[in-house]
Amino acid sequence: MARIRKENITTSFFHIMVQGINKEYIFNSSENINKYMKIMKETKEKIDIMILAYCIMNNHAHILVHEEDIEKVTQYMHRVNLRYAKYYNKKYNRVGYVFRDRYKTQPIYSEKHLYTCVRYIHNNPVKANICDKANEYKYASCYDNIFYTDTELERNVKKNMYNEQTNLQEEEKFVLMENEQNKEQICHEIIKETMLKIVLQKKVYIKMRRC
């Protein structure tokens, strides 16, 4: 993931997504999920950022944070994922990357977008047919937010996250990680096709000059 330029940021809300390398099930047991959540909580005690929502699935995780300083968000996610990667590699006697890239960050720029994001995060297990209702999934803040500190902002998020006035169609604006590889492939194909056209045009131009 390309680093977000600090000078371009005009929000303090960020939707963070992490995924296992090659879409592997790096959170493939309750023990592993609980370990990641424990690391998140312990790291938060050292780098104090506000975690408004989260959902840990088998091969990826969603985290919604509120923080004015993007550098603190970067430090937080780096420490969390590094600690978990060391734990995971040691447990399964493996080496190499555990996460796909670093992580993906999506800035949130409106209140409507914020609440839609929370709903999107919590509905992940419902869409995956793991449970019928979002609050039935144990490893999400909808079930029990382990970071809940009863601030006014958090109360507003909890109160409004299922507001029927929030347009769920806005979910389509989220860049899903599953489509990321396809988009990269399409971009490479477009670049390759463009370069091929340039080469062919040059060959035609040279041939015409020789004639």
Side-chain angles (χ1 to χ4, degrees), residues 20-189:
I21 187 75
N22 297 322
K23 299 182 181 179
E24 291 179 10
Y25 279 36
I26 59 172
F27 306 118
N28 55 359
S29 68
S30 58
E31 181 181 12
N32 287 346
I33 295 177
N34 285 324
K35 180 65 176 181
Y36 190 74
M37 291 171 62
K38 180 181 178 182
I39 292 173
M40 286 174 60
K41 192 169 185 178
E42 289 176 350
T43 306
K44 186 182 180 303
E45 294 174 358
K46 298 177 181 178
I47 303 176
D48 188 25
I49 64 174
M50 186 179 293
I51 298 178
L52 295 172
Y54 61 86
C55 182
I56 317 298
M57 301 292 284
N58 289 131
N59 74 337
H60 70 281
H62 294 268
I63 307 169
L64 177 63
V65 303
H66 170 56
E67 173 55 51
E68 298 288 343
D69 186 358
I70 185 62
E71 292 301 326
K72 285 182 66 175
V73 178
T74 300
Q75 292 173 19
Y76 177 81
M77 290 308 305
H78 175 73
R79 292 192 186 185
V80 168
N81 286 353
L82 182 62
R83 277 191 61 188
Y84 185 79
K86 289 181 178 179
Y87 154 82
Y88 188 84
N89 280 341
K90 183 177 180 180
K91 179 178 180 180
Y92 294 103
N93 193 27
R94 67 187 295 278
V95 294
Y97 293 107
V98 173
F99 293 96
R100 176 183 177 182
D101 302 323
R102 289 195 311 152
Y103 53 87
K104 188 173 181 64
T105 306
Q106 182 188 50
I108 306 295
Y109 286 109
S110 71
E111 185 177 3
K112 183 177 182 181
H113 192 187
L114 175 67
Y115 295 134
T116 305
C117 179
V118 176
R119 296 176 70 175
Y120 171 81
I121 290 173
H122 287 162
N123 276 318
N124 259 243
V126 177
K127 289 183 177 180
N129 295 317
I130 296 175
C131 56
D132 294 327
K133 297 179 180 179
N135 59 8
E136 294 174 351
Y137 188 66
K138 288 175 60 177
Y139 310 110
S141 52
C142 189
Y143 180 86
D144 179 25
N145 191 346
I146 60 175
F147 305 103
Y148 189 69
T149 56
D150 199 35
T151 64
E152 183 178 357
L153 176 60
E154 288 170 309
R155 288 198 300 272
N156 286 338
V157 167
K158 192 169 185 179
K159 178 181 177 181
N160 291 290
M161 63 185 174
Y162 289 110
N163 188 340
E164 293 303 322
Q165 294 179 353
T166 304
N167 187 1
L168 280 177
Q169 290 181 353
E170 198 159 319
E171 287 183 6
E172 297 173 4
K173 294 183 180 179
F174 288 101
V175 182
L176 300 181
M177 299 185 74
E178 287 75 8
N179 298 329
E180 193 174 4
Q181 188 174 1
N182 294 335
K183 289 184 178 180
E184 289 178 1
Q185 184 178 352
I186 291 171
C187 288
H188 285 304
E189 289 175 358

